[in-house]
Amino acid sequence: EFYIPIEFLEEGRISHPPGIVQIADDAHYKLLQAKKNGTQINLSLQVTNKHPTKNLDFSPMALINIMGKGKNKGELNPFKGKHQALAIIKPQQSITAELFYDFGSKPKDIELICTGKLSGDRVFYNLGF
């Protein structure tokens, strides 16, 4: 018999800083900028559809999560930003989404999690604050 702590079974991952292009399925993500203002985070995120023939249904509500230390999850503000609702990205095209996330308390150690499609590949960005 032996004991394995549960934290060793968690998913291993690499969280990149802004500016690095990462691939999740057919979606290429590039975090252009992240700003913190109290309990709100403003992101500028470039999303490119690299599929040669299919549209990418980009929905930040379904494909983007943002978490702070202590499971302090950011909630997408549906009234601010650009492309915060569903955006259809044609093959080989890009959009730049401006997204605002509100936190219940001042966030620390913030990580952005981007998914290529529902239950698909995930990529991670460390926002640096």
Side-chain angles (χ1 to χ4, degrees), residues 31-50:
L31 180 59
L32 302 174
Q33 184 175 355
K35 294 180 183 176
K36 180 176 163 184
N37 184 11
T39 59
Q40 189 173 74
I41 301 294
N42 175 348
L43 303 176
S44 180
L45 182 68
Q46 183 181 55
V47 185
T48 303
N49 178 5
K50 287 297 187 173

Side-chain angles (χ1 to χ4, degrees), residues 64-98:
I64 308 294
N65 286 308
I66 188 167
M67 296 286 287
K69 185 177 182 178
K71 299 192 182 198
N72 186 10
K73 185 176 180 182
E75 297 295 329
L76 181 64
N77 186 326
F79 304 109
K80 283 182 144 182
K82 182 179 175 187
H83 299 299
Q84 74 271 25
L86 179 65
I88 304 300
I89 306 173
K90 296 192 180 294
Q92 307 300 315
Q93 298 293 314
S94 297
I95 64 163
T96 299
E98 292 176 12

